[in-house]
Amino acid sequence: MAQQSAFTRLAKKASTFTGRPSCFALALGIIVVWAITGPLFGFSDTWQLVINTGTTIITFLMVFLIQSTQNRDTEAMQIKLDELIRVSRRADDALLDLEELEEAELDALRARYEDMARQARDARDARTKP
């Protein structure tokens, strides 16, 4: 496997860390400390600005890290699904790159498969009825 970029390593570590209960507890603790210090600072504008600025910066950065992780996971899953389609003899190889199609094309394929599923259920129900 190729060496991962520094950003990929950072995104994975950040995603793993922020997904843990301890990270949630840390964030909750920071908010509790901030709320408790409100009376000490007279609930000033600066006191409010601290939490607003901190949460805005963290949210802004986390959006990019989460999106990177999600894109990588989605791409890996897509490749795995493509491989399963490729090795299945009865599979339609035209489905290998569905993620590249336009919305209308995906809707048409979805309708086709929903119709196939409905027909299969109807056939199954007809076989199981006495």
Side-chain angles (χ1 to χ4, degrees), residues 18-98:
T18 57
R20 291 187 176 153
S22 58
C23 186
F24 177 80
L26 175 65
L28 184 61
I30 290 170
I31 291 170
V32 168
V33 168
W34 171 79
I36 290 171
T37 62
L40 297 173
F41 294 101
F43 299 101
S44 68
D45 289 345
T46 302
W47 173 79
Q48 292 178 32
L49 189 61
V50 167
I51 198 71
N52 290 339
T53 303
T55 57
T56 300
I57 291 169
I58 290 169
T59 301
F60 180 75
L61 294 173
M62 286 305 296
V63 164
F64 295 102
L65 292 176
I66 291 168
Q67 189 63 49
S68 171
T69 301
Q70 186 174 8
N71 288 348
R72 195 174 40 262
D73 289 348
T74 300
E75 187 71 18
M77 187 180 317
Q78 216 41 69
I79 293 167
K80 290 174 184 180
L81 290 171
D82 286 349
E83 177 63 6
L84 291 173
I85 292 168
R86 187 188 69 78
V87 299
S88 178
R89 280 191 272 189
R90 293 182 49 201
D92 182 357
D93 287 345
L95 300 177
L96 284 171
D97 66 348
L98 287 182

